[in-house]
Amino acid sequence: METNFDYVVLYKTFSRIFKDKLGLIMIELNGNGKQPESPFIAFDIISPRIPNNYLEDDTVFESVVSFTAYAKSKLQALNLSNQMRLLLRSTASTKRFFENNITLVEIMATQPRYVEETNNYAYMYGFDVRLRLKETYIDEDKGTIESIDYKEK
């Protein structure tokens, strides 16, 4: 039986939460395509797989993802970042995490994140999130056990 975690689940889960509740588009950091108009959120997977034990064969592992709010002003970016942090702790988000086998372990401190552009600065604030994830199993079409016959001695 093979195991594999589909990281697209993370992107879809978080992008739906931010779009539904804040009306913000989430993009992959350094992804292909045109950057949307501010404000928007950039998403990046910093540490894809942190083993839960030293054997590295556990189906449960942790991952660190990064969220950065891009805005037209420094204060707007900071406010959006704080709204995102609160939203991730909400009951609706927790329910969506549960449905997708995601556990929120830690939300790290908000930090300014600046990148100098050609003529001006992009105003950004962001934070990292530590998640506990679970591998999904892929059945190799071996069939299912429908009954077990016991022999008595």
Side-chain angles (χ1 to χ4, degrees), residues 100-152:
N100 291 289
N101 291 320
I102 299 170
T103 302
L104 182 66
V105 175
E106 177 185 10
I107 299 177
M108 297 168 206
T110 300
Q111 300 172 331
R113 299 178 176 177
Y114 294 111
V115 175
E116 188 173 344
E117 293 181 340
T118 53
N119 296 331
N120 59 357
Y121 283 88
Y123 295 105
M124 302 176 282
Y125 271 89
F127 56 93
D128 299 338
V129 175
R130 189 174 186 106
L131 305 170
R132 188 162 295 126
L133 306 171
K134 187 173 183 179
E135 290 281 5
T136 53
Y137 289 95
I138 300 169
D139 190 2
E140 298 174 346
D141 293 328
K142 299 289 183 187
T144 57
I145 298 172
E146 294 177 10
S147 66
I148 298 175
D149 293 329
Y150 293 99
K151 292 183 181 179
E152 291 186 29

Side-chain angles (χ1 to χ4, degrees), residues 4-112:
N4 184 28
F5 185 79
D6 185 6
Y7 290 96
V8 173
V9 170
L10 294 180
Y11 181 82
K12 287 181 179 179
T13 301
F14 287 111
S15 65
R16 278 190 224 127
I17 289 171
F18 294 135
K19 181 69 174 170
D20 292 349
K21 301 297 182 182
L22 298 176
L24 295 174
I25 294 172
M26 188 176 85
I27 64 169
E28 286 182 80
L29 186 66
N30 300 323
N32 295 331
K34 185 179 177 186
Q35 183 171 300
E37 189 72 28
S38 295
F40 66 92
I41 301 166
F43 169 81
D44 195 20
I45 300 173
I46 297 173
S47 298
R49 187 179 184 90
I50 302 168
N52 216 24
N53 64 36
Y54 69 93
L55 297 175
E56 292 194 35
D57 65 349
D58 198 5
T59 59
V60 176
F61 62 98
E62 292 188 353
S63 182
V64 177
V65 297
S66 173
F67 299 101
T68 303
Y70 286 70
K72 294 180 182 182
S73 75
K74 185 177 178 180
L75 292 176
Q76 183 186 23
L78 179 58
N79 286 334
L80 287 173
S81 182
N82 286 334
Q83 289 173 14
M84 291 162 50
R85 289 172 60 88
L86 290 173
L87 182 58
L88 292 179
R89 288 192 172 105
S90 72
T91 305
S93 295
T94 302
K95 182 177 184 265
R96 194 164 282 177
F97 295 154
F98 179 77
E99 293 166 353
N100 291 289
N101 291 320
I102 299 170
T103 302
L104 182 66
V105 175
E106 177 185 10
I107 299 177
M108 297 168 206
T110 300
Q111 300 172 331

